Each structure stands twice: as structure tokens, then as C-alpha cells.
Amino acid sequence: MLNMNVISSTYRNTGPKAFQVLFISVSWFCTGIHNSPSYRSPSLSLYFGTKTRYEEINPFVLDNPLLVTRKEDILPITCTPLKIVSVIRHGTRYPTSSQIKKMKKIHALIQERSRSSSELVRELQSWEMWYDVWMDGQLVKKGEQDMQNLAHRLATLFPSLFTTERLQKCKMSFVTSSKHRCVDSTKAFIGGLVHGYLGFPRTPNNVLEDIPCSEPVVNDTLMRFFDHCPKFLVEVEDNDTALRELDNFKKSPEMRRVTQKVSALLDVPEQELSADLIQVAFFICSFELAIKNISDSPWCELFDEEDGRVLEYLNDLKQYWKRGYGHHINSRSSCNLFRHIFNHLEEAVTESKRSQQISSPVVMQFGHAETLLPLLALLGLFKDEKPLTADNFSMQSNRKFRSGQIVPYASNLVFVLYHCDMAETEREEYQVQMLLNENIVHFPHSQNTDLTLNRPRSQGY
């Protein structure tokens, strides 16, 4: 079990235009890879950060990608799901063009400058550099499968929401970032829902144009809010000092040790191996596993688990200071998305109280790790007692903020609104459950796994 302290919320409906939000500190548990006796992860795959496969945190996907494991504890007794609102990261992708340029650089360095005749160096020199800049972060076939399977699992969990009638009556909305990997992820999700779960016949190219309202809507203001927040752009994105801790860690004793080791293995001058090149060599190992399911790539042989921990920390420092708790504006930049989610839930409560049909019971939104991390930080999830810095690597060995465990490829944050008939109390309640990567939030102190939305007696916040 992976034990993580998080902050969740209790929401009370204060009228047609507001929610009162009370943050309550709780603990929750999510199923980790160590729970699967039939699956042993490649030793480095736990340390790939945002390049981590979804299978590393939910290994059941390897055995049966359509398996639903949380049916019983997700559905409260006497409660009917009214609405689902999700934020989903795109599926497995190719490296970006900037990463590919660095990959080509270190491969050429090994081919031209290595003086070693070791078997490892010979394998790296003969390795085919098949990545090219045209790929530039595009969704791969595996990424399409990530989305198709996720669609099937979510629909299986909530069959009363994902119905043919609602699809045909345009009661489902699909919003995406403008990046092609997100647009393609959205289309793959819709395809998995339409052709896989709902059983619509497939066209020769699986074109969805005959399905009403199945075209994704691009909304970068929501899904790439960080590009539209002037304060974030000034204080973080365009600020040379915002990632000071990351820059300092590149020069740390831990990184120097990894660089010296790789330099010795490759027999190339240490000064020609920057931290960025070392990291991209590690990323090649991760891409070979995620895209091609190759677990014995020669690039992986350059590193051991201790190297993996160091390089994971290097990646996490970037995510922490650019997207997480490092700067206050990181989480604040997601406020509009946060408000958008709960406006959707509030609208459904209002419609239900008026005995109206829920106008949009399924809202699926597709973005990036950079979309999810600020939102999770705004909610207070995965916050460590002390910040991640360049000089506390050893102290943070058991940190909560591990991006690979939080936002792997296809990571998803799901809010489900229920209407509950509480006969014993002679009143009706609206409750919300929150799932991260298909694992439910638990409230151990109250023995509940739901968040209650009630209309308080007094008005105001």
C-alpha cells in the first residue's frame, strides 16, 4: 500500500451561484504496484517521473486493461450518480522535438567520442536512433489504447451516465487542450466509449463524424490555463530564478556521482556530459519501455536504482517548483479550472432539486500533467512537510510529491456527484466522490468515502 496524506474538501451548496469549501486534512490509500503478486516492475520504471507508464501505479492494466476493480466501494448504498466531471492527462506519447534533439546529441557523442570497447557501448553505438523531430510529442498507438481502455473502465463503473441515449442527445461534452496529443487522446477516448463500450459499429477508419456531438471542443483557457495566467508567466515561466533549486541540484554531489559513473561506463570525457544529457539518456530508457514495451534497452543498463532515485528527484524538482508547491501562483493559476469543475457540480444539484434532467451529466476534459499538478496542489494533495530543495535529497526519500505516482501517462482526476436518498434521516443529500487514477479518496476519521453537499440553514460563505 502507498500511504499518502492529502487534503480533501467538504462542499456545501449555498445557493444557485456558490459552494462553500472547507478543507479537511485526511489520509488516503491508493493501490500501488507492490499489491500485485503477478507483476514485477522493471527496477527503473518507478523513477521515470512524468514519463511513467500508467501500469506502474495500476498494474492490473497489464493483465486486463478493461478490468474494473473498485465497483463495490465506489457506489454508495442508496445513491445514484448524477454527473461525472474529469480532468485527464493525455496517453503515452513520443518525446518532444527538444528532447529528441538531445537524444540525438548523446547518441552521437557515444558513437563519436567513446573510447570503450565494452559490450554495453557497442550496443549503444549500434542502437537505432529511430526517434525524429517530426514526432514532437505526438500520441503513440499505446497512448490511444490508454484512452480507449480508460473510457471503457469509467463507463463500466458508471453505466447509468455513459449511455447511448445521452451520447446521441449530446448530453456528453469533451473538452481538450489544443495540443495534438490531447486532441488525439480525446478522440481515442470517445472511440473507446462509442465503439468499445457502447458497441457502435466501426467505420473503416473509425471515423466519429457520424456520431452527434462527438467532436472535441478545444479550450486552452481551461486545459492550458498556465499559458493564460500573466502572473505565472512573469513569476515562474519567464523567471530565470524560479527553478533555482533544480539548477542547483544539477550541480549537486548526487548528480556529479551519476555523471561520473556514466562517464566511466561510456569512457567519454565527463565535461561533455551535462545533467540534461544524463537525464535524456534516462528518458530514452523510459520511452523504450512506455512506447515499445522494451524493458532491457541498453540505455537502461547505464543506470541502477540509486541513479534512478536521483534522476527522479531531478524531474520532481522541476515539477514541484514549476507546477506544484514551489510557488504560490502555480496552484492559484488553476483556480478557474477549479471553479469550472464545481460550477458544473452545482448546476447539476440545482437541476436535480428542480426535478429537471441533468443538462450535461458527462464532462470529460483532456490536458497535461501541467494541468493536473497545479489543480492537485490547489486541493492540497501530496504536500510534504518541507519543500523539495537541492540539498535535501536524502531527507525526501519518502516524500509524498512523486510525479510518477501522481501524474503518469493517462492519469485522471474524477469527480462524481450522487443524489442519495437518506430515508433514515428523512432528507436528501448530494454527495461527491473524488478518484485519482481510479483510486477512491477515503475519510478514515468519519468512515466515509464521500463529500457531502448540503444546503446550510444560514446564507453566506
Side-chain angles (χ1 to χ4, degrees), residues 276-306:
D276 288 344
L277 285 182
I278 296 290
Q279 186 178 47
V280 84
F282 189 60
F283 284 163
I284 297 176
C285 171
S286 74
F287 284 120
E288 295 286 89
L289 177 63
I291 297 173
K292 288 190 166 185
N293 198 30
I294 297 174
S295 59
D296 57 352
S297 167
W299 294 97
C300 301
E301 296 302 313
L302 285 171
F303 308 99
D304 58 25
E305 285 198 59
E306 182 54 35

Side-chain angles (χ1 to χ4, degrees), residues 150-265:
L150 178 62
H152 197 287
R153 293 195 302 271
L154 288 179
T156 301
L157 269 179
F158 305 106
S160 63
L161 295 178
F162 292 89
T163 65
T164 298
E165 180 184 8
R166 283 176 166 159
L167 178 70
Q168 292 176 327
K169 290 185 176 180
C170 298
K171 298 292 185 179
M172 300 182 187
S173 68
F174 303 94
V175 178
T176 178
S177 153
S178 61
K179 291 292 184 179
H180 43 62
R181 56 186 170 273
C182 295
V183 174
D184 290 343
S185 288
T186 311
K187 291 180 178 178
F189 184 97
I190 297 170
L193 174 64
V194 171
H195 300 306
Y197 179 77
L198 295 178
F200 280 62
R202 295 181 182 272
T203 61
N205 296 313
N206 291 331
V207 177
L208 295 168
E209 59 188 22
D210 294 333
I211 308 298
C213 306
S214 63
E215 185 66 25
V217 175
V218 173
N219 188 334
D220 279 346
T221 303
L222 283 178
M223 295 294 100
R224 294 184 62 84
F225 50 77
F226 40 87
D227 286 341
H228 299 267
C229 178
K231 189 173 182 180
F232 170 79
L233 295 175
V234 171
E235 294 187 5
V236 181
E237 185 68 45
D238 299 328
N239 182 356
D240 291 339
T241 66
L243 302 184
R244 184 188 298 112
E245 297 297 333
L246 171 67
D247 295 334
N248 289 342
F249 190 69
K250 290 179 180 180
K251 299 174 285 188
S252 68
E254 293 85 1
M255 275 303 302
R256 285 200 301 270
R257 181 192 62 77
V258 176
T259 303
Q260 289 166 358
K261 174 189 169 182
V262 173
S263 172
L265 285 172

